[in-house]
Amino acid sequence: SPRKVGDGWDCNRGYAKDASSTKCEPVQVPENGQLNVFGNAWECKRGFAKSGSGTECVEVLLPQNAVLDYTGHNWVCARGFKKDSSGKACAQVY
C-alpha cells in the first residue's frame, strides 16, 4: 500500500518486503511468536526468547528465585538475590 508519509510503498500488516524490495511476502511467525508492533516481522511472546538460530521461540527457563525481566524474554534474580558466578542461578544476598 502507498506510504502515508514520503514516497514509495509499504507492505500490509503481516507481510514484509522481500530481499530485493520488489514484492511483499507473508511473515512466517513461529509457534509462541507474534507479529511485532509494526506488523512487518515477528517477535517472541512474553516468556519466550528467540533460539540461537533465531528461527523459533523457546521458553525462558527461570532458575529458582528468578523472574522475567522487563522485556519478558530473559530473566533477572528476584529482590534479595543476585546471579551466582556461573550466571545460571540466583544466590541469596547476605
Side-chain angles (χ1 to χ4, degrees):
S1 62
R3 283 192 178 157
K4 292 178 177 43
V5 178
D7 296 328
W9 55 276
D10 289 320
C11 297
N12 290 334
R13 183 168 177 77
Y15 292 82
K17 290 182 181 179
D18 68 352
S20 62
S21 293
T22 59
K23 62 182 179 178
C24 295
E25 294 182 336
V27 176
Q28 301 298 318
V29 180
E31 186 176 353
N32 299 309
Q34 61 192 13
L35 287 174
N36 69 5
V37 68
F38 302 108
N40 62 354
W42 63 270
E43 63 189 11
C44 294
K45 293 179 180 177
R46 183 169 174 78
F48 294 87
K50 286 189 177 183
S51 64
S53 63
T55 59
E56 61 183 337
C57 295
V58 294
E59 186 176 5
V60 175
L61 299 177
L62 298 175
Q64 188 173 0
N65 301 309
V67 294
L68 287 173
D69 71 3
Y70 71 95
T71 69
H73 308 297
N74 206 343
W75 61 269
V76 295
C77 293
R79 186 180 184 115
F81 295 84
K82 66 176 185 173
K83 284 188 179 181
D84 68 3
S85 60
S86 74
K88 296 179 182 179
C90 295
Q92 190 168 7
V93 176
Y94 293 100

